[in-house]
Amino acid sequence: MAAFENFDNIFLDLSKESGKCRFAENGLGWKPSGGGNTFTLDRGDIANAQWSRAAKGYEVKILKRSSELVHLDGFQQEDLERLGKIFKNWYSINLDPKEHALRGWNWGKTEFSKAELVFNVQNKPSFEIPYSEITNTNLAGRNEVAVEFANSNENDTGTNGHLGGARGRGKKSGAGKDQLVEMRFYIPGTTTRRETEGEEAGSGEEGGEEKNAATLFYETLMDKAEIGETAGDAIATFLEVLHLTPRGRFDIDMYEASFRLRGKTYDYKIQYEAIKKFMVLPKPDDLHFMLCVGLDPPLRQGQTRYPFIVMQAKKDEEVTIDLNLTEEQLKEEYKDRLQPHYEQPLHQVITYIFKGLANKKITSPAKDFMTHRNQFGIKCSIKAAEGFLYCLEKAFMFVPKPATYVSYDQTSTIVFSRVSGAVSALSTFDIAVHMKNGPTHSFSNINREDLKALESFFKLKGLRVKNEIDEDANMLAAALRQEAMDESEEEVVGPRAERGSADEDEESVDDDFQAESESDVAEEFDSDHESSGSGSGESDVDGGAANADEDEEMLDVDEVEQQKPKPKKQKTSK
């Protein structure tokens, strides 16, 4: 054999660019055709090799002794014999051909190898998942396990752009425009650890004990993927810290590059790189502090995304903790960011350690705004969810659920309004935050006494404010003034007109009554004397008028006048 064996148009770890692969007795190398850094692998690091069909032809998958995988894709079928001799003669390793299952079945048997999780169908691999690509796993149900993969930017190759865009450890999911972020396995029944892990399982009593198959799969994957580091490696641990989002109590294990939330059902491993914001928010009850951690990418729990983690701690709950770090590590790696010993309230200790390990800025509410009760948090609600709104130096923050962050820079207009028809419309108001690009955020049921303070703060920050409450109040006041003026005019003009007509009626009634009173009495007396029938009829009328009050007399005047001509006719007939 020649001293070198060269292969062209070979892709390294899903790289965008092809390159030239060269094999030699002391190892192998790969260099992108467009120029760049060269990848090399020493022969002593090669533990195993496998030949199989791949996306761009055939690939050689090499397992390193450090349990890392190297993929070389783009070989032709006729290269198998040539490569087999290279690995046999130079590296003393057999290049094992592997055929993949092509039936498309979604049921099979899982196998935990040294570097990847293999899903076999009829004893043939259907797909493999490298442990380095798994970021988290959870028990999604009694017999269901959820496996989450690393979110990666298409341009973030993990190699800083070197090696022709080859995907580094934990970055392979970003090779395409669409990427798989979660996979779920349904694992019914019971099994033993020996059956789950295969030959790697111990021969002790625990290996033969039957357990729930899904739970055993979950625990094995946690160990293999190194999702749950051992407690001894943790720099600091906080037990049963109350979390408002996601809801529950979690133990917090803080490591050098990540922290872990351990609950009864779910476990989360979060890199410090994913922390974008850290806020300390005092609760208006003067008893608790809320710690809000902003994440990008957000935390996932099934289909639910949590862009913020909200913790709550009592104001007077003190803890004593010693960090699992040497003095040399504190001086060299963390300098003045961490102290070896803490004896302070819980929320302060968590804040200091997060700040030291993640090296993130701590944000607190703006000092320019206070509510009418001298608090930083405003009690309000988003739709039916009640919470607290905080005015920060550069944004709004609503907690605990749904945790909402609204930057002042993206705000177009802030509108103060009152809910029409609400019983509490006079004591509360709403805020609608219109964004330059995006949906409108509405915060309702805010105490009316905080209106002026909020309006002054927004104007201080240079935000555009529209107060519809004052406009409505001015319109209402003008309408009430106009209505009052109309009523006063009616009170002045109306009664005079009624009194004038009443005087005229009274005068006409009195004149008629006085002019004919004597003749009526004489005629009635004479008629009574001559005829009792007519006299009895007239006496009924006169008797009713005499016994009635003055108002009834005014109403019955017309009837009396109509009955008066009758006795006159009787008198003339005589």
Side-chain angles (χ1 to χ4, degrees), residues 136-141 144-148 218 265-268 300:
N136 194 31
T137 179
N138 286 298
L139 285 168
E144 190 172 354
V145 179
V147 180
E148 299 177 9
Y218 161 76
T265 305
Y266 292 97
D267 282 20
Y268 304 100
R300 289 200 318 271

Side-chain angles (χ1 to χ4, degrees), residues 275-312:
I275 298 178
K276 304 304 178 184
K277 304 175 184 67
F278 194 100
M279 291 164 277
V280 180
L281 308 173
K283 210 170 181 180
D285 60 2
D286 286 331
L287 298 175
H288 300 87
F289 272 84
M290 290 183 288
L291 308 179
C292 191
V293 184
L295 302 176
D296 187 20
L299 194 68
R300 289 200 318 271
Q301 182 175 304
Q303 299 296 327
T304 308
R305 291 173 173 264
Y306 295 100
F308 291 92
I309 297 174
V310 182
M311 315 175 200
Q312 179 174 292

Side-chain angles (χ1 to χ4, degrees), residues 344-377:
Q344 290 173 302
L346 176 61
H347 69 276
Q348 293 184 5
V349 176
I350 295 177
T351 301
Y352 293 150
I353 296 179
F354 261 103
K355 181 180 179 181
L357 293 176
N359 197 19
K360 302 295 180 181
K361 180 183 177 182
I362 305 301
T363 306
S364 57
K367 297 180 180 180
D368 298 326
F369 173 78
M370 297 286 283
T371 67
H372 67 286
R373 294 183 178 179
N374 293 325
Q375 301 290 341
F376 291 106

Side-chain angles (χ1 to χ4, degrees), residues 4-206:
F4 299 101
E5 291 288 344
N6 295 323
F7 297 87
D8 295 328
N9 298 323
I10 304 300
F11 296 82
L12 171 69
D13 288 336
L14 304 177
S15 62
K16 290 184 177 181
E17 298 180 17
S18 62
K20 177 179 288 188
C21 185
R22 174 177 290 182
F23 292 88
E25 292 187 17
N26 58 348
L28 63 92
W30 178 89
K31 186 175 182 178
S33 56
N37 291 4
T38 301
F39 169 80
T40 59
L41 181 63
D42 190 81
R43 61 172 294 177
D45 293 334
I46 301 175
N48 195 2
Q50 175 182 309
W51 170 272
S52 63
R53 188 69 184 265
K56 296 179 173 65
Y58 289 83
E59 75 165 3
V60 175
K61 182 167 65 175
I62 300 173
L63 174 65
K64 298 171 63 176
R65 297 192 184 278
S66 60
S67 296
E68 295 181 13
L69 292 172
V70 178
H71 295 266
L72 294 169
D73 189 5
F75 295 100
Q76 303 300 318
Q77 187 174 6
E78 54 269 19
D79 296 332
L80 174 59
E81 182 179 355
R82 182 178 167 193
L83 285 168
K85 293 180 180 179
I86 292 174
F87 278 88
K88 181 68 175 178
N89 297 334
W90 285 349
Y91 310 138
S92 302
I93 293 174
N94 291 326
L95 183 62
D96 300 326
K98 284 279 187 180
E99 292 185 9
H100 283 84
L102 304 177
R103 289 183 175 272
W105 293 357
N106 66 338
W107 67 94
K109 186 176 182 179
T110 56
E111 177 185 346
F112 291 93
S113 65
K114 291 183 178 180
E116 57 190 3
L117 171 65
V118 184
F119 186 80
N120 294 318
V121 175
Q122 292 186 334
N123 297 323
K124 292 182 180 181
S126 179
F127 59 86
E128 302 94 0
I129 304 174
Y131 297 139
S132 59
E133 302 300 312
I134 299 175
T135 58
N136 194 31
T137 179
N138 286 298
L139 285 168
R142 180 179 175 83
N143 298 315
E144 190 172 354
V145 179
V147 180
E148 299 177 9
F149 308 117
N151 283 341
S152 180
N153 191 338
E154 183 181 355
N155 297 323
D156 182 11
T157 62
T159 59
N160 297 323
H162 308 309
L163 302 177
R167 314 302 298 186
R169 180 183 176 91
K171 303 292 184 179
K172 290 184 173 57
S173 60
K177 293 182 179 180
D178 297 324
Q179 52 184 294
L180 182 66
V181 295
E182 184 182 86
M183 181 182 293
R184 295 201 175 195
F185 293 91
Y186 176 75
I187 309 170
T190 59
T191 186
T192 63
R193 182 172 295 275
R194 187 179 294 109
E195 292 177 354
T196 303
E197 299 187 26
E199 298 177 356
E200 298 181 7
S203 59
E205 296 181 359
E206 295 182 358

Side-chain angles (χ1 to χ4, degrees), residues 484-496:
M485 292 175 63
D486 295 341
E487 290 179 356
S488 62
E489 290 179 0
E490 291 178 0
E491 290 177 356
V492 174
V493 178
R496 288 180 180 177

